[in-house]
């Protein structure tokens, strides 16, 4: 986990929480009592959601490009942020950022946690696989009936700062069940130095195979999208550059993605979209410190939407968002 992920101040968090409630269109929802204890069998059967947006013309932003709704969960005895994040399909980074000041390992029983389960879609490709690196989240778009597109989204774990997940376009060139991991020489040397492990490969199906059970092989070798043997690394910078998903998430995604599917690794710390005729902004941490000019890019996106933008207001919204969509003032 990158320790650089910053928690917003309490005042900023409260503003974001109010924005969450407005975005959800109703009061925040408490957890459902029937959720069973957080064990592997529970995660394997956790609920999944998909979303529908109008299919936009190429290079344009959909008229509805904010998906999901923010919810809430009341902490039970023995819960950790990792448990709650995994059940609600969030990365550890997302739930920590949305709930500053609360101990992620021993949260007080009865505390109500914000579930940041609403997202602005990255601009401006709405086909195939799109992974937005700063938010550590993958989106998969499939054409639906009547000019619609179905969106599935999952959190991911990405490359460490010294082995960054790259930006760029790709296609899915292959799919493997129980892939064998052929350990690259540089990583093998790292394993020898750190723990005396000189193996050159780890067979498919092995408990310590970091690829998990399913792998989507990409045209930008050696990178891939795959499962993991350490689910708690989702929402952290822990890999050697590949994208890791929760085991149950990759099991869901794997059969849906055909070979030849196009994709992109994009880097958008600030995203702007539309919902209900209003514009919304979501800002995430610049995890690799590329320092893109955030406000000017946000202004350019708003111009594509035909929406006037005030730079000062945009900068204030960027400072308030911290991974939660916030509504922008008109004009």
């Amino acid at each position: 986990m990158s320790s650089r992920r910053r928690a917003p101040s309490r005042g900023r968090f409260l503003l974001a929480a109010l924005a969450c409630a407005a975005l959800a269109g109703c009061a925040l929802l408490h957890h459902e009592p029937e959720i069973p204890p957080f064990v592997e069998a529970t995660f394997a059967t956790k609920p999944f959601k998909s979303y529908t947006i109008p299919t936009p013309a190429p290079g344009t932003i959909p008229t509805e490009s904010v998906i999901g709704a923010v919810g809430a969960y009341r902490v039970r005895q023995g819960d950790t942020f990792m448990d709650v994040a995994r059940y609600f399909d969030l990365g550890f980074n997302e739930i920590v950022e949305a709930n500053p000041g609360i101990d992620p390992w021993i949260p007080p029983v009865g505390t109500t946690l914000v579930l940041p389960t609403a997202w602005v879609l990255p601009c401006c490709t709405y086909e195939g696989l799109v992974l937005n690196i700063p938010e550590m989240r993958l989106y998969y778009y499939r054409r639906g009936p009547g000019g619609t597109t179905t969106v599935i989204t999952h959190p991911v774990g990405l490359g460490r700062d010294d082995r960054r997940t790259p930006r760029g376009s790709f296609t899915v060139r292959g799919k493997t069940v129980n892939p064998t991991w052929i350990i690259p020489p540089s990583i093998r040397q790292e394993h020898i130095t750190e723990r005396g492990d000189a193996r050159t490969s780890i067979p498919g199906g092995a408990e310590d195979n970091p690829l998990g059970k399913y792998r989507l092989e990409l045209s930008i070798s050696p990178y891939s999208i795959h499962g993991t043997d350490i689910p708690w690394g989702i929402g952290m910078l822990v890999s050697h550059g590949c994208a890791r998903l929760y085991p149950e998430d990759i099991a869901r995604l794997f059969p849906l993605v055909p070979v030849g599917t196009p994709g992109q690794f994009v880097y958008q710390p600030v995203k702007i979209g539309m919902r209900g005729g209003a514009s919304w902004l979501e800002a995430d941490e610049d995890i690799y410190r590329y320092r893109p000019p955030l406000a000017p890019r946000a202004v350019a996106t708003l111009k594509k939407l035909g929406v006037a933008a005030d730079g000062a207001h945009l900068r204030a919204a960027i400072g308030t968002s911290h991974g939660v969509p916030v509504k922008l003032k008109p004009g």
Side-chain angles (χ1 to χ4, degrees), residues 237-257:
L237 301 179
V238 291
S239 80
H240 290 89
C242 293
R244 302 179 177 184
L245 279 78
Y246 288 125
E248 60 275 11
D249 289 0
I250 190 66
R252 177 202 191 194
L253 185 68
F254 185 84
L256 301 178
V257 179

Side-chain angles (χ1 to χ4, degrees), residues 8-275:
S9 68
R10 177 61 62 177
R12 287 180 172 179
F13 168 70
L14 291 174
L15 288 174
L18 290 173
C20 290
L23 181 60
C26 60
L28 298 178
L29 304 176
H30 292 291
H31 82 277
E32 298 179 15
E34 63 268 26
I35 294 176
F38 290 134
V39 296
E40 283 300 312
T42 302
F43 299 132
T45 58
K46 71 185 186 185
F48 287 114
K49 293 184 179 180
S50 60
Y51 308 91
T52 301
I53 62 170
T55 301
T60 65
I61 298 175
T63 54
E64 295 290 328
S65 55
V66 182
I67 60 173
V70 174
Y73 173 81
R74 184 168 292 154
V75 175
R76 303 175 299 187
Q77 185 68 43
D79 287 345
T80 69
F81 275 25
M82 286 185 167
D83 296 319
V84 178
R86 186 175 177 185
Y87 183 80
F88 289 101
D89 215 31
L90 295 165
F92 185 69
N93 61 312
E94 294 176 299
I95 196 163
V96 167
E97 199 161 1
N99 295 277
I102 300 175
D103 188 334
W105 309 111
I106 313 175
V109 174
T111 300
T112 297
L113 303 180
V114 173
L115 300 175
T117 45
W119 305 275
V120 175
L121 300 177
C123 180
C124 288
T125 298
Y126 306 95
E127 180 181 6
L129 294 163
V130 177
L131 193 155
N132 189 24
I133 294 169
E135 64 175 321
M136 291 192 259
R137 182 160 283 273
L138 176 71
Y139 299 85
Y140 178 48
Y141 301 91
R142 293 189 299 166
R143 293 292 180 261
T148 63
T149 292
T150 299
V151 187
I152 293 171
T153 183
H154 295 301
V156 297
L158 293 179
R160 303 174 338 203
D161 192 50
D162 60 335
R163 295 182 182 270
R164 296 179 176 185
T165 300
R167 294 170 285 186
S169 300
F170 60 84
T171 57
V172 176
R173 63 178 178 84
K175 300 169 63 173
T176 312
V177 178
N178 285 327
T180 295
W181 186 35
I182 307 300
I183 305 173
S186 61
I187 299 178
R188 178 172 179 264
Q189 186 58 50
E190 183 181 296
H191 289 180
I192 292 172
T193 301
E194 291 181 353
R195 54 180 183 266
D197 184 352
R199 288 179 294 178
T200 58
S201 66
I202 299 179
E207 289 187 0
D208 62 343
N209 187 323
L211 303 181
K213 187 174 181 180
Y214 302 99
R215 177 178 62 185
L216 300 175
E217 300 151 18
L218 309 182
S219 57
I220 50 173
S221 180
Y223 302 103
S224 63
I225 298 171
H226 57 76
T228 181
D229 62 325
I230 307 175
W232 313 121
I234 306 307
M236 302 185 187
L237 301 179
V238 291
S239 80
H240 290 89
C242 293
R244 302 179 177 184
L245 279 78
Y246 288 125
E248 60 275 11
D249 289 0
I250 190 66
R252 177 202 191 194
L253 185 68
F254 185 84
L256 301 178
V257 179
V259 172
T261 296
Q264 288 187 352
F265 288 118
V266 301
Y267 199 92
Q268 298 179 15
V270 173
K271 303 177 294 175
I272 289 179
M274 299 294 292
R275 190 178 214 178

